[in-house]
Amino acid sequence: GFLINGIGFRRIPKALAGLIGTGTVAASFAIALSLFLSFDGQVRVEKLYDWITVGSLNLAFAFQIDQLSLLFMLIITGVGSLIHLYSIGYMKHDEGFGKFFAFLNLFVFFMLLLVMGSNYLVMFIGWEGVGLCSYLLIGFWNRNTNYGDAARKAFVMNRIGDLGFLLGIFLIITNFQSVEFLDVFQKASGLEVGNTTIFWITLLLFVGAMGKSAQIPLYTWLPDAMAGPTPVSALIHAATMVTAGIYMVVRSNLLYTLAPGTLEIVGWIGLATALLAASIGLFQNDIKKVLAYSTVSQLGYMFLGLGMAAYTPAFFHVMTHAFFKALLFLGAGSVIHAMSDEQDIRRMGGLRKALPITFLTFLVGTIAIAGIPPLAGFFSKDEILLHVFEHNKAMWVVGVFTSMLTSFYMFRLLFLVFFGNFRGTHEQQHYLHESPLTMTLPLMVLAVLSAVGGFFNVPEALGGSAKLAEFLAPLYEQAKSARPEAFQLGEISHSTEYALMGVSVAAALVALVVAYVVFVSRKTVPVAEGQESGLQKVIYRKYYVDELYDAVFVKPLNALSVFFHQVVDFLLIDLLVEGVGKFVKGLSKEFRLAQTGATGFYIFAMVIGIAALLAWSLRGLILG
């Protein structure tokens, strides 16, 4: 799809480009589904060829098909094909239509490479590839300077994390003489818990995850990445790319289980990220920025789960989040489409009548992300909170509070966009319309998935059999053997589970009621740009973290660059190099005067030269 649309995007008609782009991903989903249905529980490694051989180190280009890669393949291609279909309607008037689909296909290719690779090096190729595609898609409308800046910011911050990931791979090669998952885990299974080398390997790999999955301190690129077209936000920054860090940790579960110190760091960073991003989301007024900070917060939740060694609940939240967050982003795109590209929720309101399908599907997504039963987000979020409660009660309290904030800012968004009176211009109101079927059909499918997705892993306390946990169990066998206590929840009774569920649901419902009273009953509208004050201003300005990074990193580096350019490069290097050139040129200018062109002078010079040579020879004989 990338090659055909990429080479021929200027000549291929839009209808055909959309069909190729969407058809290739849908066909990939069909293949992934057939693999899943025929999977017999045995890990398959398909070696394509020996790639790099250095001494005893042999690095193969190979794919590994197992429980984890199969599920990720289904999510990537399934949600991806819906987003491609949506893009046909959303981007139909864009002159770069074919190029856009080429980039989307390339992204899906690299994402599949990331999750299918049988070793860390193939994973790293996919890891870098999705970073490249992220840059291309965020800056897709590159005539806007701010969009280009956002793309570069994403690229640079990802490179910082990727350096840590690469150093982690080097450490793996040094200590295990292999990068194949099966080989590395087999050799690592004999190491003791708390091994220093494993700690540094897992920490460096997590630095890569911090960049790709937008965790503190490498999270500021993701909200700015909303500069790209809305389908990009749905595909890359909600459903797939940002979950690459979660995939990497779950894939490396044995190494992380052997490094409880790293897991503790992962858990605390995840919790801090979830809380910080949720608080920032409270006062954002750009519909996509609210969802962006929501994504950062939900990713923090996933890492919080991973920090508790709750690998399946964290992956479960990846899956449900892919459904409801893709739905919310596409719903936001439908609103933006109807509002003639308006993204400020202060200029919306009362859209539920004009956009009934968008409203109902967005409502489903909002209830799901708020963690209200029986929708998908409730089951996955509650399972993470259960493990957090068993591990650390204080972290659980913060987790529930964060969940409460999530419910509040999401219902704030819903009420400001779809309820009350319309606050936009008369011209916008005149053109309000529901999106075409190519856009609403993916919304409806994702709404169904967001509603029923939680039933894939219903806990025993609610009468379920946790089918997802059963399916993924073989992934953790080595980790369970190495540290069985990490996988035991302790003695938590069903009554305690019900109480914990009740608290988290009550918190979400209280936040819903408060949001309803403030934004529907009292018809409160957020203050205009620049009129914020006090704590609200600090939070609206995102705690001035971007300004802090600018002052601490960007400006000093720019100043250093200017110093090297003006002082070192110009005064030292340029003058030295040019000085040598000018000196030689000056000498040659003087020596050139000796070339008179007169034959008599040349004979005279030869005689003088011969005489000088004879005199020098005689001097040597006399002295000798």
Side-chain angles (χ1 to χ4, degrees):
F2 164 70
L3 291 173
I4 295 168
N5 277 331
I7 294 169
F9 72 92
R10 294 186 191 280
R11 295 179 294 278
I12 296 174
K14 285 185 177 181
L16 183 58
L19 183 64
I20 292 167
T22 308
T24 49
V25 183
S28 300
F29 174 69
I31 295 168
L33 188 61
S34 70
L35 275 171
F36 176 78
L37 294 174
S38 62
F39 183 64
D40 59 0
Q42 299 300 312
V43 177
R44 283 177 56 194
V45 176
E46 297 288 339
K47 180 177 174 182
L48 302 184
Y49 53 85
D50 289 322
W51 186 21
I52 301 169
T53 303
V54 182
S56 60
L57 179 67
N58 181 267
L59 305 177
F61 199 100
F63 294 143
Q64 180 170 317
I65 304 301
D66 62 5
Q67 292 86 347
L68 187 63
S69 58
L70 276 172
L71 289 175
F72 262 97
M73 286 158 66
L74 287 172
I75 293 169
I76 293 161
T77 55
V79 176
S81 57
L82 291 172
I83 294 169
H84 278 69
L85 177 62
Y86 177 94
S87 301
I88 293 174
Y90 190 84
M91 298 293 289
K92 68 179 178 182
H93 298 302
D94 198 285
E95 60 185 24
F97 186 90
K99 184 168 67 172
F100 181 76
F101 272 91
F103 289 164
L104 280 188
N105 277 178
L106 184 64
F107 167 79
V108 173
F109 167 77
F110 277 122
M111 193 65 208
L112 287 171
L113 201 62
L114 190 157
V115 300
M116 289 170 65
S118 74
N119 58 59
Y120 285 101
L121 205 57
V122 177
M123 186 199 286
F124 186 70
I125 298 168
W127 193 275
E128 291 296 291
V130 292
L132 166 67
C133 294
S134 177
Y135 168 77
L136 294 172
L137 286 162
I138 294 167
F140 184 74
W141 290 321
N142 50 26
R143 291 176 186 174
N144 185 315
T145 306
N146 291 333
Y147 293 177
D149 290 343
R152 282 190 291 277
K153 183 177 181 179
F155 195 75
V156 170
M157 292 196 84
N158 270 275
R159 297 290 74 69
I160 296 167
D162 294 350
L163 174 61
F165 191 94
L166 197 57
L167 292 173
I169 293 174
F170 290 159
L171 264 182
I172 289 171
I173 292 172
T174 304
N175 288 278
F176 299 110
Q177 290 76 51
S178 176
V179 288
E180 290 292 327
F181 298 137
L182 297 179
D183 291 347
V184 171
F185 301 155
Q186 186 62 41
K187 292 173 181 175
S189 60
L191 298 174
E192 73 277 5
V193 175
N195 181 284
T196 306
T197 303
I198 297 294
F199 170 79
W200 285 111
I201 288 172
T202 51
L203 190 63
L204 286 167
L205 292 177
F206 177 58
V207 170
M210 287 162 69
K212 198 66 72 192
S213 297
Q215 297 297 288
I216 291 174
L218 302 176
Y219 71 94
T220 56
W221 67 269
L222 195 144
D224 288 5
M226 297 303 111
T230 304
V232 174
S233 306
L235 180 64
I236 296 183
H237 306 118
T240 50
M241 179 185 124
V242 291
T243 60
I246 319 293
Y247 167 79
M248 184 275 297
V249 177
V250 177
R251 171 62 73 199
S252 311
N253 65 83
L254 171 64
L255 301 182
Y256 280 89
T257 305
L258 290 172
T262 307
L263 283 182
E264 200 69 23
I265 294 168
V266 170
W268 281 107
I269 286 180
L271 184 66
T273 304
L275 180 62
L276 180 79
S279 66
I280 296 174
L282 291 173
F283 296 114
Q284 295 302 307
N285 297 316
D286 182 310
I287 187 169
K288 286 173 69 176
K289 283 284 178 74
V290 176
L291 296 176
Y293 280 105
S294 166
T295 298
V296 177
S297 182
Q298 295 304 306
L299 288 165
Y301 246 105
M302 295 170 205
F303 279 107
L304 173 61
L306 292 174
M308 307 300 112
Y311 302 113
T312 296
F315 169 75
F316 187 29
H317 201 52
V318 167
M319 188 171 77
T320 59
H321 179 261
F323 299 150
F324 59 67
K325 187 53 65 66
L327 168 60
L328 290 167
F329 266 117
L330 296 185
S334 182
V335 170
I336 294 165
H337 179 76
M339 288 287 297
S340 306
D341 296 329
E342 178 63 68
Q343 292 185 203
D344 194 327
I345 58 176
R346 292 170 294 194
R347 300 192 184 100
M348 298 178 187
L351 298 183
R352 69 183 189 278
K353 294 171 185 172
L355 310 172
I357 297 173
T358 302
F359 165 65
L360 288 172
T361 53
F362 202 92
L363 176 64
V364 170
T366 304
I367 295 171
I369 195 173
I372 297 172
L375 275 71
F378 162 74
F379 292 98
S380 55
K381 195 178 288 189
D382 183 72
E383 203 169 345
I384 290 173
L385 285 173
L386 178 65
H387 283 80
V388 175
F389 180 81
E390 199 270 338
H391 181 79
N392 187 313
K393 306 297 186 288
M395 293 175 86
W396 176 81
V397 171
V398 177
V400 171
F401 178 67
T402 303
S403 177
M404 193 174 181
L405 294 181
T406 302
S407 178
F408 178 80
Y409 67 69
M410 284 307 305
F411 279 105
R412 168 185 179 265
L413 178 64
L414 180 83
F415 294 144
L416 284 170
V417 172
F418 293 102
F419 287 75
N421 299 318
F422 186 73
R423 299 180 295 275
T425 64
H426 177 72
E427 188 179 357
Q428 286 174 330
Q429 190 170 18
H430 177 70
Y431 285 108
L432 279 178
H433 60 283
E434 184 59 276
S435 300
L437 185 63
T438 52
M439 293 171 66
T440 54
L441 181 61
L443 290 177
M444 291 184 276
V445 174
L446 287 167
V448 171
L449 289 171
S450 299
V452 304
F455 295 104
F456 288 117
N457 201 48
V458 177
E460 188 186 332
L462 294 177
S465 58
K467 291 202 177 301
L468 182 67
E470 275 181 38
F471 183 69
L472 290 172
L475 283 172
Y476 316 125
E477 285 176 358
Q478 288 172 303
K480 278 183 179 177
S481 300
R483 194 171 154 228
E485 71 278 6
F487 292 84
Q488 292 167 357
L489 254 180
E491 294 298 321
I492 294 183
S493 64
H494 286 348
S495 57
T496 306
E497 276 195 63
Y498 296 144
L500 295 177
M501 290 177 194
V503 170
S504 62
V505 172
L509 291 173
V510 167
L512 187 164
V513 172
V514 172
Y516 183 84
V517 170
V518 174
F519 299 107
V520 179
S521 299
R522 296 181 183 174
K523 298 182 179 178
T524 306
V525 178
V527 296
E529 190 83 27
Q531 293 185 10
E532 306 88 359
S533 59
L535 182 62
Q536 182 182 358
K537 184 178 181 180
V538 173
I539 296 175
Y540 181 74
R541 300 290 176 189
K542 300 163 284 191
Y543 298 103
Y544 297 99
V545 172
D546 277 314
E547 288 81 354
L548 176 67
Y549 286 178
D550 197 52
V552 175
F553 300 109
V554 179
K555 286 179 180 174
L557 279 171
N558 282 342
L560 189 64
S561 302
V562 169
F563 170 77
F564 276 114
H565 170 64
Q566 294 181 348
V567 178
V568 178
D569 194 40
F570 180 70
L571 291 179
L572 190 62
I573 297 172
D574 284 357
L575 285 183
L576 182 64
V577 173
E578 289 178 13
V580 171
K582 285 178 180 176
F583 176 71
V584 172
K585 194 175 179 181
L587 280 179
S588 64
K589 194 173 182 181
E590 296 303 320
F591 281 120
R592 183 173 59 83
L593 298 175
Q595 303 294 327
T596 61
T599 308
F601 174 75
Y602 292 159
I603 294 170
F604 174 72
M606 286 169 63
V607 170
I608 293 295
I610 291 167
L613 286 170
L614 285 170
W616 183 261
S617 300
L618 286 170
R619 174 181 171 277
L621 287 169
I622 292 165
L623 292 175

